[in-house]
Amino acid sequence: MKDIKLLRKKIIWEKSPVLLSYSPGEDWQKYWSVKSGNWSQEDGWLIGDEPGNFGGILFSKDYYEDDVMMSFTVKTALPATRDLNAVFCAHWDEETDYLGTSYVCGLNGWYENKSGIERNEVGNESMLYSTTSLYKYVPGTEVRMTMGAINGHSFMVVDDVLITELIDPEPINGGHIGFSAYCTKLMIKDIEIRKIYWEDFIQKYEPEY
């Protein structure tokens, strides 16, 4: 993985220490907590299945106070085609028994095959999001996703390409990290969580003519 160049920030990959490197096995429930939906493990894959019009959520058991990012390999389990989603800075709302204030990122979602990031609020109402229809995920293919946030500056990278970033003026700091199979069936493996090391990134134009 190469360094991630964000607006005014550069994430230095080799200086970002690994907190967890995990290939799913029979011990998967030691690391992950099923919050909703149906989750299992098979042949080195975590499998998330939720046929309803909401998210089947899997949370890390660890709560991260620091800014972290997670990388993982994911694909849809055909005939499922949509919503390859992850959550970060994530919280569970006990009153609604559903995902609370969190960031959600994904591919082939938002009902129109869009990719992007949103801030989820209690009641699943979001007024802050960044989406694009330019990235086209091919259902059933494996992709490598990396996502996370630096004090509310969130980002999503797919196969070493920055797809979108979002700066939250009221950042969510700290939380769980995990996945959301939203009305779909996902397969996930080779999970790595790193503490983010970043530096200021001076960006300016030089005359080009």
Side-chain angles (χ1 to χ4, degrees), residues 5-19:
K5 296 178 181 178
L6 303 176
L7 185 62
R8 296 188 293 274
K9 298 181 180 72
K10 182 191 290 186
I11 296 173
I12 311 300
W13 188 260
E14 292 301 325
K15 292 186 178 181
S16 298
V18 175
L19 303 179

Side-chain angles (χ1 to χ4, degrees), residues 53-55 98-99 104 111 118 120-126 182:
N53 189 37
F54 51 90
Y98 195 61
L99 186 65
V104 181
Y111 306 102
E118 74 174 18
N120 185 83
E121 300 290 354
V122 175
N124 205 30
E125 294 294 330
S126 175
Y182 198 103

Side-chain angles (χ1 to χ4, degrees), residues 75 101 180 208:
K75 65 178 179 177
T101 303
S180 171
E208 62 180 0

Side-chain angles (χ1 to χ4, degrees), residues 35-88:
K35 309 302 288 186
S36 60
N38 304 303
W39 288 88
S40 60
Q41 182 277 143
E42 183 177 342
D43 297 329
W45 294 89
L46 285 177
I47 300 173
D49 183 14
E50 175 48 67
N53 189 37
F54 51 90
I57 310 294
L58 188 72
F59 265 16
S60 62
K61 288 198 171 179
D62 286 337
Y63 183 101
Y64 297 96
E65 296 285 357
D66 297 320
D67 293 331
V68 297
M69 56 185 172
M70 178 169 66
S71 300
F72 54 96
T73 299
V74 60
K75 65 178 179 177
T76 57
L78 297 174
T81 64
R82 59 186 176 230
D83 281 80
L84 296 83
N85 294 344
V87 297
F88 50 104

Side-chain angles (χ1 to χ4, degrees), residues 179-192:
F179 308 97
S180 171
Y182 198 103
C183 199
T184 194
K185 186 174 182 179
L186 300 180
M187 301 178 68
I188 300 154
K189 68 177 182 178
D190 299 334
I191 303 162
E192 183 180 80

Side-chain angles (χ1 to χ4, degrees), residues 143-157:
V143 294
R144 187 72 178 169
M145 294 177 65
T146 298
M147 27 59 67
I150 303 168
N151 191 31
H153 188 163
S154 56
F155 57 91
M156 179 177 66
V157 174

